[in-house]
Amino acid sequence: MKPVWIVDDDRSIRWVLEKALAREQIAHKSFASAVDALAALDAGEVPQVLLSDIRMPGQSGLELLQHVKSHIPSLPVIIMTAYSDLESAVAAFQGGAFEYLPKPFDVDQALELIRRALDESMHQDGAVEETSISPEILGQAPAMQEVFRAIGRLAMSHATVLITGESGSGKELVARALHRHSPRADKPFIAINTAAIPKDLLESELFGHERGAFTGAATQRRGRFEQAEGGTLFLDEIGDMPSELQTRLLRVLSDGHYYRVGGHQPLKANVRVIAATHQNLETRVKDGLFREDLFHRLNVIRIRLPALRERREDIPLLARHFLAKSAQELGVEPKRLSDGAVKFLVSLDFQGNVRQLENLCHWLTVMAPGQLVEVGDLPPELRETSPASGAGVIGGWEEALAAEADRLLARGVPDIHGKLSDTFERILISRALAHTGGRRIEAAQALGIGRNTITRKIQELGLEGGKAAAAAEEPAAE
């Protein structure tokens, strides 16, 4: 078996991968630049698998990928990059990469990927689908990386796609990305929110109508299916579609034909359907609110978009992007978020998801008094929002505490130190007492404080059960 090639200008990355491959007894060879790797290829050397960074001095990893795929199309190439944005994933897949590995990566994950690539190389099986995604979709969180990979593999496909996710999570952006980089890109992308159109008008909106089909139909009208001919039709909030229209949609997806309202001539639909919903369609099927056969027709490929609270590490990145976007639209200098403001935003749940964050950034661009946005510059209703639990926040409870301090400072609450200190001690002592079954001596030992201290704190903080616990423990203390 030929060696695995590692191409990266970062010596530490090369060293880690070399040690991991040596431990697995996998032959390997390293290069500090794409130029060196190309020289080895020109000299007649060929790897079994190639791992390459994207951004390197001189020629980039994507240029190396392009050269390799033009000369050795079957060679699996794994692209690595510390710039975990959608454009990198797109460029990698578009160039024919086997897989996309964002840095920092888990060594075991990298080895598993290399093994898969070796197996692919040994069997010379399957070409990588070309993809390209939209630069508006940003994210470094693992959940978004999975979305990027799914979009990357689907963009050149004609398959029906079902996108699920909470309202405001960016489902239409994904649909537009799938269309923009598909073979249908030069044809229309037509979007319709099936929940926003009255039931009586939805059929005409989708399929069009003939003149005189109903009162007020003075002329023939082309529906959304006809408008999207050759392109993509995006059906948003498909879970709210009335049952009778579900039947008509199923017929179109089944045999590719439909009729305008009042029409007798069948029309052929050459349209890729992408549907989206924030609802659980499986539950609606069980409740008899959504046709099971239509669900299976739509659920060919599913992409789930994570809520913003599931990808908190992306909030600073998205906020910078939206602040820059709003500034460009308004022709002003972009605002910047202070560290405290960033921490506070990261602590929030954002029930409106990415859309809510985008609207907030637009509000800040217009309303914040200075170029540096502090917690006190955020909308009052947002500052009064309770931060999420520390378990979901980057940095754990310390970040949650920092966000709470920022919130109280912004509201001008007096004696913040005393309030937070009392809360801190109350939680520690009550949890310790709960852990020891109310035995104060054991609780004090666990916390590293004296018995007299814990007794005094129980009384000062008004902890319920303190006296009872003290009485229960007196005999044991003798």
Side-chain angles (χ1 to χ4, degrees):
M1 184 175 71
K2 296 185 287 291
V4 172
W5 281 13
I6 305 163
V7 185
D8 198 313
D9 61 318
D10 188 331
R11 172 177 249 171
S12 62
I13 294 294
R14 298 199 306 271
W15 184 85
V16 167
L17 288 171
E18 287 167 359
K19 294 298 181 184
L21 291 171
R23 187 173 65 247
E24 298 296 316
Q25 298 183 334
I26 298 174
H28 57 274
K29 186 173 182 177
S30 295
F31 301 88
S33 70
V35 173
D36 293 342
L38 286 171
L41 286 170
D42 292 339
E45 297 182 56
V46 178
Q48 196 75 44
V49 169
L50 175 66
L51 283 86
S52 177
D53 190 24
I54 284 186
R55 307 199 183 197
M56 296 180 287
Q59 288 184 294
S60 71
L62 295 180
E63 291 174 303
L64 174 61
L65 172 65
Q66 184 179 12
H67 179 90
V68 167
K69 299 312 285 187
S70 65
H71 291 79
I72 319 172
S74 62
L75 176 63
V77 179
I78 299 169
I79 289 295
M80 305 180 291
T81 179
Y83 298 81
S84 302
D85 63 333
L86 187 54
E87 282 299 297
S88 298
V90 171
F93 280 117
Q94 199 171 29
F98 174 76
E99 188 54 279
Y100 164 72
L101 182 64
K103 297 177 184 177
F105 52 78
D106 179 79
V107 174
D108 291 335
Q109 174 194 6
L111 283 173
E112 178 59 29
L113 190 53
I114 292 170
R115 290 191 194 97
R116 281 175 42 209
L118 286 170
D119 184 65
E120 180 83 5
S121 178
M122 296 296 286
H123 291 86
Q124 297 184 357
D125 187 25
V128 178
E129 291 178 291
E130 294 182 347
T131 67
S132 191
I133 322 291
S134 167
E136 291 88 6
I137 310 175
L138 303 172
Q140 297 175 340
M144 284 306 294
Q145 294 297 319
E146 290 303 314
V147 171
F148 294 167
R149 288 189 177 93
I151 297 174
R153 294 187 177 99
L154 279 171
M156 298 303 290
S157 167
H158 295 275
T160 301
V161 178
L162 177 63
I163 306 169
T164 61
E166 295 181 6
S167 295
S169 55
K171 297 186 288 296
E172 184 170 343
L173 278 179
V174 173
R176 289 184 180 275
L178 287 167
H179 169 76
R180 187 178 298 116
H181 302 286
S182 75
R184 299 174 178 267
D186 59 342
K187 300 296 182 181
F189 175 90
I190 303 296
I192 180 171
N193 186 328
T194 59
I197 298 174
K199 175 181 175 181
D200 296 338
L201 298 179
L202 186 55
E203 183 177 16
S204 174
E205 282 289 325
L206 281 172
F207 304 110
H209 61 252
E210 297 290 353
R211 179 181 178 184
F214 49 84
T215 303
T219 60
Q220 183 191 78
R221 184 181 186 282
R222 297 166 67 235
R224 301 301 176 92
F225 266 95
E226 211 167 339
Q227 294 170 25
E229 180 64 19
T232 301
L233 178 62
F234 175 55
L235 301 175
D236 199 6
E237 299 304 347
I238 192 72
D240 294 307
M241 179 175 279
S243 56
E244 57 269 28
L245 283 182
Q246 293 179 29
T247 302
R248 288 207 60 181
L249 178 60
L250 176 63
R251 189 175 300 120
V252 179
L253 294 177
S254 300
D255 61 24
H257 291 85
Y258 64 96
Y259 294 84
R260 296 193 190 103
V261 176
H264 304 286
Q265 183 68 32
L267 300 175
K268 176 69 175 175
N270 175 20
V271 171
R272 182 191 193 183
V273 172
I274 299 176
T277 182
H278 72 281
Q279 303 192 60
N280 187 318
L281 287 188
E282 287 93 339
T283 300
R284 291 185 70 79
V285 168
K286 291 178 182 177
D287 294 341
L289 299 173
F290 200 84
R291 292 185 61 119
E292 184 174 7
D293 44 7
L294 176 58
F295 168 70
H296 291 304
R297 281 282 179 181
L298 294 171
N299 194 38
V300 177
I301 302 290
R302 184 185 299 207
I303 297 177
R304 178 189 173 274
L305 276 181
L308 190 53
R309 62 182 172 276
E310 298 175 47
R311 42 184 294 225
R312 295 180 188 277
E313 55 264 60
D314 288 339
I315 290 176
L317 171 71
L318 289 166
R320 287 194 298 271
H321 170 74
F322 290 136
L323 286 171
K325 179 182 176 184
S326 293
Q328 185 177 26
E329 291 172 357
L330 297 171
V332 298
E333 284 295 313
K335 301 289 176 70
R336 294 180 295 108
L337 294 171
S338 69
D339 291 343
V342 170
K343 290 176 181 178
F344 183 77
L345 292 181
V346 169
S347 76
L348 300 179
D349 271 343
F350 283 104
Q351 296 300 320
N353 290 297
V354 177
R355 185 184 298 129
Q356 181 184 357
L357 179 60
E358 182 175 12
N359 292 340
L360 168 64
C361 291
H362 191 74
W363 186 94
L364 290 172
T365 301
V366 176
M367 301 297 292
Q371 287 301 111
L372 184 65
V373 177
E374 301 286 357
V375 175
D377 298 323
L378 299 174
E381 62 274 14
L382 199 68
R383 297 200 305 269
E384 294 169 6
T385 303
S386 297
S389 67
V393 180
I394 300 170
W397 66 270
E398 297 101 326
E399 292 285 6
L401 177 60
E404 177 65 4
D406 288 335
R407 187 177 73 88
L408 295 175
L409 287 165
R411 294 177 62 187
V413 175
D415 191 22
I416 293 174
H417 179 272
K419 284 180 172 28
L420 291 182
S421 296
D422 287 351
T423 301
F424 178 78
E425 291 185 328
R426 186 180 293 109
I427 291 172
L428 277 183
I429 293 172
S430 63
R431 298 317 299 162
L433 288 170
H435 176 71
T436 63
R439 293 182 291 277
R440 284 186 304 167
I441 292 178
E442 292 182 23
Q445 290 173 342
L447 293 174
I449 60 178
R451 175 184 173 181
N452 291 336
T453 300
I454 198 171
T455 300
R456 175 170 52 82
K457 290 293 183 182
I458 286 171
Q459 294 171 349
E460 290 176 354
L461 298 171
L463 288 172
E464 294 182 5
K467 292 182 179 179
E473 194 161 349
E474 287 303 328
E478 295 296 330

Short mmCIF file of all heavy atoms in Angstrom, two decimals, residues 300 321 338:
data_model
loop_
_atom_site.label_atom_id
_atom_site.label_comp_id
_atom_site.label_asym_id
_atom_site.label_seq_id
_atom_site.Cartn_x
_atom_site.Cartn_y
_atom_site.Cartn_z
N VAL A 300 -37.41 12.26 1.46
CA VAL A 300 -36.39 11.48 0.74
C VAL A 300 -35.02 11.73 1.39
O VAL A 300 -34.30 10.81 1.75
CB VAL A 300 -36.36 11.86 -0.75
CG1 VAL A 300 -35.26 11.10 -1.49
CG2 VAL A 300 -37.72 11.58 -1.39
N HIS A 321 -21.08 39.22 11.58
CA HIS A 321 -21.55 39.20 10.18
C HIS A 321 -22.77 40.09 10.00
O HIS A 321 -22.84 40.90 9.06
CB HIS A 321 -21.89 37.76 9.79
CG HIS A 321 -22.61 37.64 8.48
ND1 HIS A 321 -21.97 37.80 7.26
CD2 HIS A 321 -23.91 37.38 8.19
CE1 HIS A 321 -22.85 37.65 6.29
NE2 HIS A 321 -24.03 37.39 6.82
N SER A 338 -18.64 44.62 22.74
CA SER A 338 -17.66 44.45 23.80
C SER A 338 -17.64 43.00 24.25
O SER A 338 -18.57 42.23 23.95
CB SER A 338 -18.01 45.35 24.99
OG SER A 338 -19.20 44.87 25.63
#
